[in-house]
Amino acid sequence: MVITKTTIQLLIFTFFFYITSSFADNPTYNVETLGATSDGDTDCTKAFSSAWAAACATTEPATIYVPSGRFLIENVNFSGKLCKNKAITFRIDGTLVAPSDYNVIGSSDTWLKFDRVAGVSIYGGMIDGRGTDLWACKNSGKSCPKGATSLAFYNSNNITINGLYSLNSQMFHINIDNCHNVNLLNMKISAPANSPNTDGIHVQQSSEVVLMNSHIGTGDDCVSIGPGASNLWIENLACGPGHGISIGSLGWSLEEAGVQNVTVKTATFTGTQNGLRLKTWARPSNGFVKDVVFQHVVMVNVRYPIIIDQNYCPDHKNCPSQESGVRVSDIKYEDIHGTSATKVAVKFDCSKTYPCNGITLTEVNLTFKDKPATSSCANAGGMADGTGVVQPTSCL
Ligand SMILES: *[C@@H]1O[C@H](CO)[C@@H](O)[C@H](O)[C@H]1NC(C)=O
Ligand SMILES: *[C@@H]1O[C@H](CO)[C@@H](O)[C@H](O)[C@H]1NC(C)=O
Ligand SMILES: *[C@@H]1O[C@H](CO)[C@@H](O)[C@H](O)[C@H]1NC(C)=O
Ligand SMILES: CC(=O)N[C@H]1CO[C@H](CO)[C@@H](O)[C@@H]1O
């Protein structure tokens, strides 16, 4: 190698870069150093709370490190109330495991709870809610605790979760409630098809939420979208088993925030109960759903691939007028194809008082047993785009 002036400059630069970057190393709090034991049996809750308190005491970006191994944790509240830090990263190589007795966390809303935090990131790791015994209790008809959501962010901003694996939550896996700017990337979520109420990701009262490159197989909705969700972007999702993506149930309350600007782009549903569902209670409400785009979706043997159900009223209880007040408008379905497990692959059952409007179907091709499926409409307005295939034939 010829030593040129440039090489020397480069070496000097590299040297100084190395020195400055090592001085700039941010504090790292290793939960093992703080007393956690990775045997899966010793309660490590205190060590995690201490790590959080230490990271919160500084204003410098800080890392909480969880080495490989299994760390037993009871309920933790990672609260932003006394937290000075706006850049805390969890780097997780190991697994956080819930107590084996479901009663320990089963009556609290959340197992791993973040409240009023800003700038929290979680990279890697696995959380194991150990829900199996609780589901068995629920499925046996005995009285059991409701179950805890595994991981939730409430009232928080600027959150990133990348590469987390959630296994066997008691109730929902992940809940995003009243948050702004949330990125959920490369997620894996898994629970058996018959596990009750194990929604994958629930989003409500939140804006600028992105879910990308994720695989969700669970016992309830892969993604459920509640009141007040806006600017939600879902891309590259594999869903199944599960109940699909559901906007709703909405419209339980008279006064309710609407859902708007939701995009689902590139998704595959395999053997799921629903594909793309919008569901509202048949009750008076001032809620609404508008500006939704479903694009590039593959259905593989899905029971109800495309469905709007505004007459949701299980057991015909609590629905005085039997009509939904939720206004549904501007819902686009583009390039949706594959197979339906029932004959009616497209069903729009809208409110009599507030018919759906602005539904559009473009390049839709869904088959049932190798034949064109059928569609059914009630109080649904919109159009099928004449330039592409629309099969089943639109009833709009
Ligand atoms: C969130 O991030 C944005 C952009 O980096 C920043 O301007 C804003 O202050 C952050 N919000 C909070 C609550 O930290
Ligand atoms: C809709 O949401 C996306 C993010 O998902 C955002 O980029 C876009 O600006 C929003 N559109 C409107 C009209 O607010
Ligand atoms: C719809 O898809 C099926 C199965 O892939 C295919 O055989 C059929 O030709 C398609 N229909 C139209 C009208 O393109
Ligand atoms: C460790 C801790 O403070 N846990 C509490 C977190 O909040 C729930 C209620 O939301 C309480 O039940 C826990 O005791």
Side-chain angles (χ1 to χ4, degrees):
M1 176 175 159
V2 184
I3 309 282
T4 64
K5 201 173 153 210
T6 322
T7 321
I8 291 168
Q9 277 172 342
L10 192 64
L11 283 170
I12 291 170
F13 175 78
T14 310
F15 178 72
F16 278 101
F17 181 76
Y18 178 73
I19 295 289
T20 43
S21 64
S22 52
F23 272 115
D25 254 1
N26 296 317
T28 295
Y29 304 97
N30 183 329
V31 293
E32 265 179 348
T33 316
L34 293 165
T37 305
S38 64
D39 60 5
D41 273 333
T42 313
D43 181 7
C44 303
T45 315
K46 277 213 177 82
F48 279 75
S49 297
S50 308
W52 178 255
C56 281
T58 159
T59 52
E60 267 180 273
T63 299
I64 293 172
Y65 178 58
V66 182
S68 55
R70 290 171 67 79
F71 296 90
L72 178 71
I73 305 188
E74 297 186 358
N75 296 83
V76 209
N77 296 338
F78 298 105
S79 168
K81 241 186 187 167
L82 300 171
C83 193
K84 291 197 282 183
N85 204 329
K86 300 269 179 282
I88 298 180
T89 299
F90 284 77
R91 203 152 54 77
I92 310 178
D93 287 332
T95 301
L96 279 51
V97 298
S100 57
D101 174 0
Y102 59 74
N103 290 296
V104 178
I105 63 166
S107 298
S108 54
D109 55 39
T110 310
W111 172 32
L112 308 166
K113 170 162 155 179
F114 288 82
D115 188 22
R116 294 175 202 285
V117 301
V120 169
S121 307
I122 300 175
Y123 289 95
M126 176 156 159
I127 56 175
D128 181 354
R130 283 176 147 177
T132 314
D133 291 350
L134 177 62
W135 312 326
C137 175
K138 287 183 171 180
N139 286 336
S140 75
K142 277 189 277 199
S143 89
C144 336
K146 181 164 166 278
T149 289
S150 280
L151 171 66
F153 282 86
Y154 300 99
N155 315 305
S156 298
N157 292 308
N158 298 350
I159 306 304
T160 295
I161 307 179
N162 191 338
L164 181 72
Y165 180 6
S166 173
L167 178 69
N168 296 342
S169 56
Q170 290 188 344
M171 267 274 291
F172 293 6
H173 290 263
I174 293 172
N175 185 11
I176 305 295
D177 188 351
N178 202 24
C179 295
H180 178 73
N181 192 17
V182 179
N183 289 294
L184 306 168
L185 313 170
N186 306 304
M187 308 289 291
K188 186 168 177 203
I189 290 179
S190 168
N194 63 354
S195 56
N197 310 117
T198 53
D199 292 38
I201 295 172
H202 180 76
V203 177
Q204 64 175 31
Q205 302 294 353
S206 296
S207 54
E208 307 299 333
V209 179
V210 173
L211 167 64
M212 274 182 81
N213 304 336
S214 297
H215 192 132
I216 302 176
T218 195
D220 208 306
D221 297 336
C222 288
V223 180
S224 54
I225 300 165
S230 67
N231 299 2
L232 169 60
W233 187 274
I234 299 173
E235 185 170 350
N236 270 330
L237 175 73
C239 166
H243 294 181
I245 292 180
S246 186
I247 299 179
S249 311
L250 301 175
W252 169 261
S253 307
L254 187 57
E255 292 291 322
E256 193 179 90
V259 170
Q260 69 181 308
N261 190 13
V262 175
T263 303
V264 176
K265 187 178 168 179
T266 313
T268 303
F269 296 88
T270 308
T272 53
Q273 184 193 74
N274 309 286
L276 309 166
R277 174 168 66 170
L278 198 161
K279 182 165 105 172
T280 75
W281 281 87
R283 287 166 60 91
S285 172
N286 69 350
F288 63 86
V289 182
K290 64 179 186 191
D291 300 328
V292 178
V293 177
F294 298 113
Q295 205 178 40
H296 312 312
V297 176
V298 178
M299 304 285 175
V300 183
N301 203 32
V302 172
R303 215 164 335 144
Y304 308 110
I306 292 179
I307 180 163
I308 296 181
D309 174 11
Q310 290 209 263
N311 287 297
Y312 182 60
C313 192
D315 309 326
H316 300 282
K317 267 193 244 159
N318 302 317
C319 307
S321 65
Q322 293 290 329
E323 280 170 40
S324 175
V326 176
R327 281 73 155 173
V328 175
S329 63
D330 298 311
I331 317 289
K332 289 193 169 72
Y333 302 87
E334 295 171 4
D335 183 22
I336 319 284
H337 63 270
T339 55
S340 174
T342 64
K343 193 156 174 44
V344 183
V346 178
K347 184 173 176 183
F348 299 125
D349 186 6
C350 295
S351 166
K352 270 201 278 299
T353 14
Y354 300 102
C356 299
N357 67 67
I359 298 176
T360 56
L361 296 164
T362 313
E363 294 284 351
V364 173
N365 182 0
L366 294 163
T367 57
F368 170 62
K369 292 189 172 161
D370 296 327
K371 296 212 179 75
T374 63
S375 62
S376 105
C377 291
N379 312 305
M383 59 171 209
D385 189 332
T387 58
V389 184
V390 174
Q391 187 181 272
T393 309
S394 165
C395 54
L396 290 168

